[in-house]
Amino acid sequence: MIKNNYSILVTFFFLLLLAGCSENTPANNSEENSTSKNILTMSWPSDIGEANPHLYSPNEMFAQALLYDPLVVYENDGTLSPGLAEKWDVSEDGKEYTFYLRDGVVYSDGSKLTADNVKRNFDTVIGNSLAHSWLEVVTVIDKVEAVDELAVKISLKEAYYPFLQELALIRPLRMLGDAGFPDSGNTADGIKKPIGTGPWILSESNENHTVFIRNENYWGEKPTIEKVEVKYIADSQMRMMALENEEIDLIFGSSQLTPSEFTTLQQNNQYLTEVSEPLSTRILSLNSTYGVTKYKEVRLALQHALDRQTIIDHILSGLEQEAHSLFAPGFPYSDIEIEEYEYDLEKSKQILDDAGWNVDAKTGIRSKDGEKLELLMAYNSSDQVHKTIYEFLQGAWKEIGVDVKLIAEENQVYYARTKAGEYNIVMNDTWGAPYDPHMYIRTMIGEQQIGNYSLIGTDSSDKLTEDITRVIRTTDETERASLYKNIIQTIQQEAILMPISYKQNYLVANDVFKKLNFSPQQFEVPINLYEMK
């Protein structure tokens, strides 16, 4: 009897235990699933560096954009809206800007955004001006003053119309909290910690991955996703495999997949795929100071020998739109009529014949006065798309009697070659919003810039230099539009740049998202706008 009662008691407690387990298990699973839905895992080709908001490579722009905010924001329609500054005044002569900061904005460490802190950020960037010599917004600032706790006045040496536009750039003028500055006070020496006011906080970073968590004190609309893990995967095939195995949810950006890899994934209904509007222009830049591209007739002949449609159809998998003008339609001051160079091999040959470039019967290569019609085309060896386009041109241009030598180089060596101007043709894509058109045009008068090597060997060099210098200074809207028209049409007439296609961003994702989007800035991943199921 006692034994029977004991058995009943054990059975009773066992059933209670099972009941308890059966109540807890689904709840735990539900909680776990709920949590996992708010975690985004994505790939990136390289680590993000120390995420210094005031410096360039190896700091990755997408990470800087997640952590740090600008004073003003560049919107999808090209307008500027309040960022950390809720409003601003501009003096009549265009040389003084007073920004009124949002009250109550705090950094990720809890410290408050103040005018003194903003001045400190500007001062350290200006103090390292050599690193930013390519960027007019840094060199044009005369002084920065904290007017009161939430007002900052910036005085310029001279009027500069894209000033607000360049404040919206991802770097170098975004704000770092005081505790993030190094002991030297100069962020050129590095930072102690990436303390920003942005929608995300860096919580963990090592050689394999980086983790961002949502900034619960963010002053703007908080992201719905709680956590983002970025896994470093250098090889595109490994990225595709990771997506297939659901080790990552998202591959973002045209630099992470070749066009053919993207279209392969696009044809698989298992994945969500999206393509952005045109963001920049893929361009071949001809050096007017080097070898045979010094001659305008050679540049004109090459323009008519560029088969854009075949490149787009067979190398870019039909993803990009044919481009004849420097900037995509819709960019400021860029809807300008120009005379296009249509693909016409016979016309190309005729131009060379008329100029005295004769074909050697044995080699099929042209020469004139003992000079061979030979092009040196250099490219970054890691860029497979550029390599394929160059190989296509090598074969195509041989038909008109041009001998193309291809040189593949490691990034730093290639960069040094472009700085020295030792090439006939290199890729020199535009940068998209908010840089275009003014920054791309402005670099054409900067020493050792690719655009400058295109410009300075032409008969129009002096006039172009004068117009470019003027266009970024004038405060007269009518004059500015007229100058841009002259500049873009002259560039086309001199045949120094060869637009191929308008570049787009694309993404591939597993079916875990309710909402995905692109930013008007091609280097930004707008994760704060994403929603997961």
Side-chain angles (χ1 to χ4, degrees), residues 199-261:
W200 300 94
I201 297 172
L202 183 62
S203 72
E204 179 184 344
S205 189
N206 59 38
E207 60 185 8
N208 298 315
H209 77 163
T210 291
V211 177
F212 300 92
I213 58 173
R214 185 170 63 194
N215 182 357
E216 300 298 340
N217 295 318
Y218 183 51
W219 57 270
E221 185 175 350
K222 280 191 291 189
T224 61
I225 296 172
E226 295 174 0
K227 182 177 175 181
V228 178
E229 181 182 12
V230 181
K231 295 184 177 180
Y232 303 144
I233 307 175
D235 180 76
S236 62
Q237 291 294 317
M238 295 298 290
R239 272 178 228 130
M240 294 171 70
M241 192 178 300
L243 186 72
E244 182 180 353
N245 295 335
E246 299 185 356
E247 295 165 10
I248 58 174
D249 304 312
L250 174 69
I251 301 175
F252 183 99
S254 55
S255 64
Q256 293 212 50
L257 295 170
T258 65
S260 61
E261 288 169 338

Side-chain angles (χ1 to χ4, degrees), residues 372-413:
K372 192 175 173 185
L373 189 48
E374 181 180 88
L375 297 177
L376 190 157
M377 296 176 63
Y379 65 98
N380 185 329
S381 56
S382 66
D383 196 317
Q384 288 303 305
V385 174
H386 287 182
K387 176 177 183 289
T388 310
I389 290 175
Y390 277 23
E391 288 174 345
F392 166 75
L393 293 175
Q394 185 180 45
W397 286 351
K398 193 170 185 179
E399 290 185 40
I400 61 170
V402 178
D403 187 18
V404 176
K405 304 292 186 188
L406 302 186
I407 298 183
E409 295 172 323
E410 184 271 333
N411 186 48
Q412 291 302 320
V413 178

